[in-house]
Amino acid sequence: CAAALATLEVIEEEGLVGALQQRLNAVEGRTGLRVCLSADGEVELPAPVEEGLYRIAQEALNNALRHTAATSVAVRLKADGEGLELAIQDDGAGFDVAAAADRGGLGLATMRERAEALGGRLEIVSHPGMGTTVKVRVGRWEEL
C-alpha cells in the first residue's frame, strides 16, 4: 500500500512521463536492462488516465523482466489531437499471445481491463523469439 501511494505521489508531482522515467531508471539500475523513453506531443492527462497508463506500463515492464530475458525496452508516448498511444516494446523471447490469454497469465487481462476502464484499447503483438510490443490507445481524455 505504501508503494502504491508513493507511486501516486510521483505521478502527481512528475506527471506520467516523469514517473515512467523514474521507473525505467530504477529498472535499468537494478537489472542492467537498456531502456529508452520518448514522448511526442503534449502529454497532460487527468490523474486517473495517467495512473492507468502507468500501471499498464508497469505490468508490461514487469513481464519483460520476469518472463522474456529482454536486454532492452523502449517506452513511447505519442499524443495527437485524437488521443494518446503508449507503447512498450522489448527485445525478449516473445510468446504466443493467444495461449497466454487462454491461461490468463502475464497480467494480460489486468492490462486489458485497465485500458478499457480508460475508454481505450490494448493491443499485444508478440511471437516466440521475436519480442513483445504492448500498445494502449486512449481517445479524447477530456471526456473521462
Side-chain angles (χ1 to χ4, degrees):
C1 188
L5 290 175
T7 298
L8 292 176
E9 289 175 8
V10 171
I11 294 170
E12 189 175 293
E13 291 173 13
E14 302 290 331
L16 178 60
V17 174
L20 286 170
Q21 188 63 63
Q22 283 191 21
R23 165 69 180 178
L24 290 172
N25 290 345
V27 166
E28 181 181 41
R30 193 174 69 239
T31 66
L33 187 70
R34 289 188 320 272
V35 297
C36 175
L37 173 65
S38 64
D40 297 324
E42 189 67 29
V43 184
E44 287 189 33
L45 306 168
V49 176
E50 287 190 331
E51 182 184 357
L53 291 173
Y54 180 86
R55 298 292 182 199
I56 291 168
Q58 183 179 39
E59 183 65 35
L61 289 167
N62 288 343
N63 287 342
L65 289 171
R66 285 189 209 129
H67 304 293
T68 72
T71 60
S72 67
V73 174
V75 178
R76 293 183 313 276
L77 287 161
K78 183 173 178 157
D80 57 34
E82 300 300 314
L84 180 133
E85 182 177 271
L86 167 67
I88 303 95
Q89 183 175 13
D90 71 57
D91 67 350
F95 64 98
D96 181 325
V97 176
D102 289 345
R103 288 190 310 268
L106 301 177
L108 302 181
T110 301
M111 287 191 289
R112 191 169 311 285
E113 289 167 8
R114 286 186 191 280
E116 290 171 358
L118 299 173
R121 69 180 189 281
L122 182 79
E123 177 185 3
I124 300 170
V125 178
S126 186
H127 303 284
M130 307 274 292
T132 300
T133 301
V134 174
K135 289 183 186 178
V136 61
R137 175 86 184 170
V138 293
R140 306 228 9 123
W141 47 85
E142 294 87 359
E143 300 165 7
L144 296 175

